[in-house]
Amino acid sequence: MRTLTEQDIRGSFINCSKGEAKRLAVPRDLDERPWDDLDFLGWRDPGAPDRSYLVTEREDRLVGVAMRFQPARRGFLHRSMCSLCLTTHPRGGVALMTARKAGPAGREGNSVGAYMCTDLACSLYLRGRKVPETGARFEESLTLEEQIARTRGNLFAFLDKL
């Protein structure tokens, strides 16, 4: 992914107003992000623990999505799998992220959701740059490039529903 600026990020959102995009919390460490290892930029809002954001490149344009999630309150032994990168996490490491649909459908309250890593670090888990709390991912026969393509396909399928 190419390096993004705050202006790039704020102008990319498809499911919120320009005013909402102007007010949302953008990460302050954009210069420190591992852009070459990211398929999308994802972050949680430090001022609103139930909000997260995702920005990705698609067909030479940026697409940003504002999402909400309810923190999981599951038992110690419960595990969940991210629908994007297929990484499993214990105790709330995966949550249902819901995004308001773009346009009139969103204004009517329609939304779509997907189970995602709550830290939105799917790209880093795939590449081994970040290790899940359990210490490992499932071993797969797919190459890294195939896993990345699958993750991007899963992300784009979610975005297509918006």
Side-chain angles (χ1 to χ4, degrees), residues 51-115:
R51 291 185 188 172
S52 58
Y53 307 98
L54 184 148
V55 177
T56 191
E57 291 178 293
R58 187 167 190 197
E59 299 172 2
D60 295 327
R61 77 178 247 256
L62 292 175
V63 178
V65 178
M67 301 180 293
R68 290 183 178 263
F69 71 97
Q70 186 69 30
R73 302 184 199 283
R74 302 247 163 105
F76 180 73
L77 298 175
H78 182 83
R79 301 178 59 77
S80 299
M81 181 182 285
C82 174
S83 64
L84 298 184
C85 67
L86 305 186
T87 300
T88 60
H89 296 274
R91 297 183 309 276
V94 171
L96 178 62
M97 303 277 187
T98 58
R100 186 174 63 209
K101 288 186 131 192
R107 288 189 290 277
E108 292 175 9
N110 295 325
S111 62
V112 296
Y115 286 93

Side-chain angles (χ1 to χ4, degrees), residues 126-142:
L126 284 176
R127 292 165 174 83
R129 299 271 318 245
K130 188 169 183 177
V131 179
E133 188 177 320
T134 57
R137 291 186 71 234
F138 289 114
E139 200 166 316
E140 295 191 63
S141 59
L142 297 177

